[in-house]
Amino acid sequence: GVNISGGWDPTFATCDPSTYVTVLDGGGSAVALSQSATFTNKTTISGLTMKTGKNTNTTCNGGCVSLLGGVILDNCKVTGGSANQGAGVYITGASTISNSTVSGNTSTTHGAGIYLNAGASAINCISEDTAASTKTGGIHVNGYATTHRSLVRGKQTAAHRARTTV
């Protein structure tokens, strides 16, 4: 397990992600944070802003963030992503997104904000101002994934809004 945290001042004495912003930027052409294999030991990623991630591969998911398992994504901001599914955040396996805001993401199918798949969870999250071409805009839950105390708000453009889970 590895812990990755952003939001530190130059001396590493104070951690405040809203003041000392640490950005992973996909530049509109790459996924900002992508996990290539499931982690055996729990890894925590916190205090980061991931933005303008893009995944053009229609068989892969996750525009800004793509997690496969064994990760806790905490106190992060994710914005401006685009992908087939999970334009902001795509999570499958035993991973969690918590205390995070996901906004302004666009998917070609569903889960424009957050896509949770098989064992994934969202806790205390906000998904806002997303657009999905055919299905859920805010938070899409597939399989045995769960949401707790999460909020979908703002513009949620999608053909099937009823499938957005809060």
Side-chain angles (χ1 to χ4, degrees), residues 31-34 50 53 61-67 73 78 86-91:
V31 179
L33 176 65
S34 182
M50 279 101 15
N61 304 300
C64 279
V65 178
S66 179
L67 302 177
L73 187 67
V78 180
V89 178
Y90 177 86
I91 303 175

Side-chain angles (χ1 to χ4, degrees), residues 25-89:
D25 190 339
S29 62
V31 179
L33 176 65
S34 182
Q35 180 184 11
S36 61
T38 301
F39 296 148
T40 327
N41 297 315
K42 194 61 77 175
T43 295
T44 301
I45 300 168
S46 63
L48 298 176
T49 295
M50 279 101 15
K51 68 179 194 172
T52 60
K54 184 174 184 177
N55 192 336
T56 57
N57 186 337
T58 57
T59 60
C60 294
N61 304 300
C64 279
V65 178
S66 179
L67 302 177
L68 303 177
V71 177
I72 297 170
L73 187 67
D74 184 57
N75 192 28
C76 290
K77 292 180 182 177
V78 180
T79 186
S82 64
N84 183 42
Q85 300 179 131
V89 178

Side-chain angles (χ1 to χ4, degrees), residues 73-144:
L73 187 67
D74 184 57
N75 192 28
C76 290
K77 292 180 182 177
V78 180
T79 186
S82 64
N84 183 42
Q85 300 179 131
V89 178
Y90 177 86
I91 303 175
T92 190
S95 285
T96 300
I97 180 172
S98 59
N99 308 308
S100 297
T101 300
V102 180
S103 63
N105 299 286
T106 306
S107 70
T108 55
T109 59
H110 45 287
I114 302 170
Y115 187 106
L116 301 172
N117 194 28
S121 61
I123 302 167
N124 295 330
C125 290
I126 296 171
S127 176
E128 60 189 358
D129 299 329
T130 64
S133 297
T134 60
K135 296 186 181 175
T136 52
I139 300 174
H140 182 84
V141 178
N142 188 41
Y144 294 100

